[in-house]
């Protein structure tokens, strides 16, 4: 596990060399690789539920939806702790966190709900062995990339994004934290053929949250009444999550720079149109069309 020379492209102001580590071609925060063996040896339990997404694809949104479903649509129950404590992140410990997130997760009684950003090849093997249910959220490359661009400047454990053009090159080359978006979404798409994975799209949830929340509830074998479903839809609307300090990460100013655009930034499908040139947009469309041809995997970039 050495620092990857390629991260030098990541922008003029970054302190990248000390922040990222390469594991088999994927860049990770140091806080992930510091505990690599411990994470890989993690013992999943058969009734663990895992929420997975590429960074900035809507994982926090999904965490809040799932927690609401699991707690009968009761916002008071979901106010018991910040989202990163209710549904901990496996694969990342806050800097100087003692005990580590792994030790904390091991101490949680069953059934546990966890979140991760691991690509398929680096998911701790016990999740596969125990046949754990996984909810995967995918978001179209363009909006995902825009959101990730801003996030690089917001969170202080990964390098700054550099210019938009630089970031785009790094995103396309997979030289960003947690690896190539293209490999990532395809890896999980293929995995659903041999594992209980509910593969969802950010755009679909945005289009019809009630429909998608019902799908999640069915996957979890939980019945939702119409009134509970309505409460979940309302509670997890972007505008409500944006002002909810238990999900908007405003409580972690040492990790998330509060002077940049906020964690709950726009919450839209199609914000990419404010950032991409026509040529850049066509380039990404072409890459996706080539890579996903015949796979059945398609993304909507507008509603
Ligand atoms: P934007 O930066 O485009 O606004 P993650 O939780 O995986 O880090 O993803 C963060 C992205 O999901 C951000 O996207 C954030 O605004 C968006 N998001 C979070 N909650 C949302 C909600 N309730 N509805 C729509 N988008 C949401």
């Amino acid at each position: 596990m050495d620092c990857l020379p390629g991260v030098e492209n990541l922008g003029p102001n970054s302190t990248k060399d000390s922040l990222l580590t390469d594991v088999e071609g994927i860049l990770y925060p140091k806080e992930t690789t510091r505990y690599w063996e411990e994470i890989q040896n993690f013992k999943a339990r058969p009734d663990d539920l895992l929420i997975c997404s590429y960074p900035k694809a809507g994982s926090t949104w999904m965490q809040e939806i799932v927690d609401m479903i699991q707690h009968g649509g009761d916002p008071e129950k979901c106010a018991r702790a910040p989202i990163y404590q209710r549904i901990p992140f496996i694969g990342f410990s806050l800097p100087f966190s003692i005990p580590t997130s792994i030790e904390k997760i091991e101490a949680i009684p069953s059934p546990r709900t966890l979140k991760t950003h691991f690509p398929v090849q680096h998911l701790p093997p016990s999740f596969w062995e125990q046949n754990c249910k996984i909810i995967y959220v995918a978001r179209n490359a363009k909006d995902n990339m825009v959101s990730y661009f801003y996030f690089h400047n917001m969170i202080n454990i990964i390098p700054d994004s550099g210019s938009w053009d630089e970031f785009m090159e790094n995103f396309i080359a997979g030289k960003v934290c947690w690896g190539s978006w293209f490999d990532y979404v395809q890896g999980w798409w293929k995995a659903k053929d041999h594992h209980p994975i509910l593969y969802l799209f950010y755009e679909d949830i945005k289009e019809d949250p009630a429909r998608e929340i019902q799908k999640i509830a069915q996957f979890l074998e939980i019945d939702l009444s119409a009134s509970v479903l309505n409460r979940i839809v309302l509670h997890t609307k972007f505008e409500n999550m944006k002002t909810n300090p238990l999900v908007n990460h405003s409580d972690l100013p040492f990790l998330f720079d509060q002077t940049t655009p906020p964690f709950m930034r726009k919450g839209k499908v199609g914000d990419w149109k404010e950032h991409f040139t026509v040529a850049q947009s066509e380039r990404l469309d072409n890459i996706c069309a080539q890579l996903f041809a015949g796979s059945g995997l398609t993304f909507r970039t507008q509603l």
Side-chain angles (χ1 to χ4, degrees), residues 12-171:
N13 301 323
S14 71
T15 47
K16 53 202 175 279
D17 294 338
S18 58
L19 291 177
L20 299 180
T21 308
D22 173 19
V23 182
E24 297 162 355
I26 311 277
L27 294 173
Y28 287 107
K30 283 270 189 264
E31 293 305 320
T32 297
T33 51
R34 190 192 308 274
Y35 302 107
W36 190 257
E37 297 301 322
E38 207 178 337
I39 293 168
Q40 289 302 315
N41 290 327
F42 175 73
K43 287 188 178 51
R45 303 174 195 149
D47 56 359
D48 284 343
L49 171 68
L50 186 66
I51 296 170
C52 180
S53 81
Y54 191 78
K56 312 320 291 174
S59 55
T60 314
W61 190 11
M62 185 54 63
Q63 285 172 276
E64 191 67 1
I65 288 172
V66 167
D67 199 45
M68 280 290 278
I69 292 174
Q70 291 171 328
H71 290 90
D74 183 346
E76 293 302 317
K77 290 187 179 155
C78 294
R80 67 195 182 282
I83 192 65
Y84 53 85
Q85 286 176 12
R86 284 180 275 146
I87 300 185
F89 186 164
I90 177 148
F92 180 74
S93 293
L94 289 177
F96 319 116
S97 172
I98 298 171
T100 65
S101 69
I102 290 289
E103 288 165 305
K104 284 183 196 149
I105 292 169
E106 276 168 352
I108 299 173
S110 293
R112 302 178 294 192
T113 302
L114 309 172
K115 156 197 168 152
T116 195
H117 284 323
F118 275 121
V120 277
Q121 68 272 32
H122 287 158
L123 185 71
S126 60
F127 283 102
W128 305 121
E129 290 155 12
Q130 297 297 333
N131 211 32
C132 301
K133 283 187 182 176
I134 299 176
I135 299 175
Y136 182 83
V137 194
R139 186 180 194 183
N140 79 76
K142 294 178 191 172
D143 283 323
N144 206 141
M145 182 178 142
V146 170
S147 184
Y148 212 9
F149 172 77
Y150 286 102
F151 191 65
H152 270 71
N153 298 329
M154 182 187 204
I155 191 166
N156 66 17
I157 51 111
I158 60 177
D160 284 353
S161 53
S163 71
W164 169 252
D165 288 353
E166 282 170 325
F167 187 73
M168 182 161 184
E169 293 310 319
N170 284 316
F171 185 86

Side-chain angles (χ1 to χ4, degrees), residues 181-197:
W181 177 92
F182 305 93
D183 295 344
Y184 197 101
V185 295
Q186 287 190 95
W188 281 100
W189 182 251
K190 286 183 190 148
K192 74 175 176 23
D193 295 339
H194 55 80
H195 195 90
I197 295 173

